[in-house]
Amino acid sequence: MPNPESPHGPVRPRTAVLTAGFDPHLSFGSARPAVFRSSTYVFSSPEEAEHAFSVLAGRVPAEEGMRADLIYSRFSHPNAEILEDQIVPLEPGAQAAGVFNSGMAAIMTAFLTVARPGTTIVYTTPLYGGTTGLIHSLLEPFGVQSTPVPGGDTEAIGRAIRSARNVSVVYLETPANPTMVMTDIRHASEAARNHPDRPVVMVDNTFLGPTFQHPLMLGADLVLYSGTKYLSGMSDMVAGVALSKDPQLMRKILARRSMFGNILQPDECWMLDGRLPTVALRMNRQSKNANRLAEALHGHPKIRRVLYPTLFEDAEQRRIYEEQCAYPGGIFSLDFEGRPAAFDFLRSLRIGRNAVSLGGVETLVCHPKSTTHSGMSAQELDEAGIGDGLVRVSVGIEDWRDLLADFEQALERVK
Ligand SMILES: *Cc1c(COP(=O)(O)O)cnc(C)c1O
């Protein structure tokens, strides 16, 4: 019986990640994939070589359900194909995936596939700093216009999309980093679908996906990840993933990847592939830990505010969270009186480490205004609500009671 909840047939994502997409017979019966490090692949005949290049260039369509023959590892290689086939079932609604050597590589390649000079990108603010930089210092000088709109403002986002001309991309990042502000994906996707230009809706799903938020099921066209974060989960590799319900769109993105040479390398594919079956386990534990910590710290006299989905006060933010996310996730921010208090806290933690990045099994804590978000202007920081007292916490899988004790002893040292 097909499972009506699953667009991937009879089993759910956590099962499919272990059963779909990898055939042990193609790896000498090995239960886990072998690593194929070759840069080039041997053809059985010159005719086959000619055919492979015709398929690669799109002169001849690939046979139904068949992958193009392997040619050269900048285009694709077995470990990329295995990883792509195994990650598709983890993202509800996805039909095709592409893997990249960083999250930024995936985001850049998606933009450069769809955005053209003279077209407009509508995007929510704040975005990941690297993405903001990509828009301002690469795309805009190439003649792509951009229209920022505050994340979370459902009405304003709808209006910005409806009134944009020559719009090629609607780009959302939700929840926003580090304020956790949520944007309604379904609403923005509807506005894009009704626009005569039919822009491509892209969602950076790094914070809550693939376990707790499913943009493709809400109408988005493309989901992007920094695989460096929750997907790999050990803070020991850099990777990126794009997933789409439209194989045609993915083919175009992969053609750009072949040109840029930013495919994820075989060893990295193999590593990330081995992490996929535990993504849901890790994220569930991280979310439970964060939930307990955020709620225990809520109301603490040294903290002005805890920014976390279960503590949202704004009715619209609550609605978006409840409709769009299965669980609140492993990240929260603490708002202290000012920078000295925030720095005292960072200095005093013993288990939580002061580092950027997030999504790893260890708890990491940082001060966004002076680090990850230091490239933003004073006005942008102000509008996004990123103040001197804000500290971002990415909660790991440690025992939450030890983390709480660590946070409490650090709070005692805050003057
Ligand atoms: C880290 C991150 C990125 C960039 O990914 P890299 O793997 O570092 O290139 C993009 N978006 C978000 C939300 C991130 O956290």
Side-chain angles (χ1 to χ4, degrees):
M1 266 295 285
N3 168 14
E5 286 172 29
S6 165
H8 296 289
V11 295
R12 291 166 178 80
R14 285 173 216 188
T15 309
V17 72
L18 286 159
T19 57
F22 166 59
D23 179 357
H25 292 109
L26 298 176
S27 287
F28 288 100
S30 169
R32 296 297 302 168
V35 181
F36 298 88
R37 304 195 51 152
S38 299
S39 58
T40 192
Y41 286 82
V42 176
F43 302 106
S44 58
S45 69
E47 288 78 13
E48 194 197 66
E50 182 183 26
H51 178 73
F53 272 82
S54 297
V55 172
L56 179 73
R59 291 187 292 269
V60 170
E63 281 147 66
E64 258 305 289
M66 294 286 284
R67 290 250 189 197
D69 286 334
L70 293 166
I71 297 173
Y72 181 65
S73 295
R74 197 180 74 238
F75 309 150
S76 194
H77 52 74
N79 290 96
E81 294 195 346
I82 292 167
L83 175 55
E84 285 159 4
D85 287 350
Q86 294 209 294
I87 205 164
V88 163
L90 271 186
E91 186 71 44
Q95 299 290 333
V99 293
F100 295 83
N101 56 19
S102 71
M104 282 312 302
I107 294 166
M108 176 196 78
T109 307
F111 271 130
L112 291 179
T113 304
V114 179
R116 292 280 172 279
T119 67
T120 295
I121 294 168
V122 177
Y123 69 97
T124 54
T125 57
L127 290 183
Y128 179 72
T131 312
T132 309
L134 175 70
I135 292 171
H136 294 324
S137 54
L138 181 80
L139 297 176
E140 287 173 358
F142 275 140
V144 177
Q145 262 110 56
S146 73
T147 304
V149 55
D153 191 339
T154 306
E155 281 309 308
I157 294 165
R159 242 185 349 261
I161 296 169
R162 281 189 297 277
S163 61
R165 293 289 159 263
N166 270 328
V167 53
S168 52
V169 179
V170 171
Y171 191 90
L172 316 174
E173 187 177 311
T174 181
N177 173 20
T179 55
M180 304 307 289
V181 166
M182 293 200 174
T183 293
D184 187 330
I185 298 169
R186 190 193 297 275
H187 193 270
S189 300
E190 243 163 54
R193 203 163 39 248
N194 292 329
H195 195 289
D197 299 337
R198 186 52 184 94
V200 175
V201 179
M202 304 181 184
V203 179
D204 184 330
N205 205 30
T206 299
F207 268 42
L208 285 180
T211 312
F212 301 141
Q213 178 171 275
H214 311 308
L216 300 176
M217 303 301 274
L218 301 168
D221 301 296
L222 190 74
V223 167
L224 295 157
Y225 285 100
S226 169
T228 313
K229 314 291 168 58
Y230 286 103
L231 289 176
S232 68
M234 308 273 171
S235 305
D236 60 1
M237 68 179 297
V238 174
V241 182
L243 291 133
S244 178
K245 56 188 166 196
D246 177 3
Q248 204 59 37
L249 173 62
M250 191 54 63
R251 260 196 288 280
K252 288 185 200 157
I253 292 171
L254 296 187
R256 285 283 177 272
R257 184 185 70 178
S258 293
M259 189 181 275
F260 298 156
N262 54 7
I263 189 171
L264 191 63
Q265 298 286 320
D267 291 298
E268 260 71 17
C269 286
W270 177 86
M271 269 176 80
L272 183 52
D273 193 66
R275 307 285 171 78
L276 296 185
T278 59
V279 173
L281 286 176
R282 288 184 272 107
M283 288 189 80
N284 272 294
R285 176 65 177 267
Q286 286 161 310
S287 179
K288 281 195 181 112
N289 278 358
N291 202 343
R292 284 177 159 140
L293 287 176
E295 287 177 10
L297 297 172
H298 176 63
H300 191 287
K302 299 255 177 83
I303 301 169
R304 280 203 301 216
R305 226 151 47 103
V306 180
L307 307 178
Y308 191 62
T310 62
L311 301 170
F312 283 163
E313 279 161 13
D314 180 78
E316 174 65 356
Q317 285 292 297
R318 288 196 78 91
R319 178 193 70 77
I320 298 172
Y321 165 59
E322 278 158 20
E323 288 180 15
Q324 186 161 291
C325 313
Y327 286 98
I331 296 167
F332 60 81
S333 291
L334 302 175
D335 196 12
F336 287 93
E337 274 315 318
R339 181 179 294 221
F343 277 26
D344 280 345
F345 178 72
L346 287 167
R347 249 191 296 276
S348 307
L349 286 171
R350 293 174 187 150
I351 298 174
R353 299 224 164 92
N354 183 191
V356 301
S357 198
L358 54 99
V361 291
E362 68 290 303
T363 296
L364 299 180
V365 187
C366 73
H367 182 253
K369 188 173 175 184
S370 60
T371 60
T372 52
H373 292 65
S374 57
M376 289 169 74
S377 70
Q379 192 192 342
E380 286 172 321
L381 287 164
D382 222 40
E383 281 167 9
I386 304 168
D388 277 312
L390 205 67
V391 166
R392 185 187 74 193
V393 183
S394 168
V395 181
I397 63 168
E398 303 92 341
D399 191 305
W400 72 276
R401 293 164 295 193
D402 295 328
L403 290 173
L404 183 58
D406 187 34
F407 279 44
E408 282 172 340
Q409 67 78 27
L411 285 166
E412 272 169 34
R413 285 171 174 73
V414 172
K415 286 186 220 71

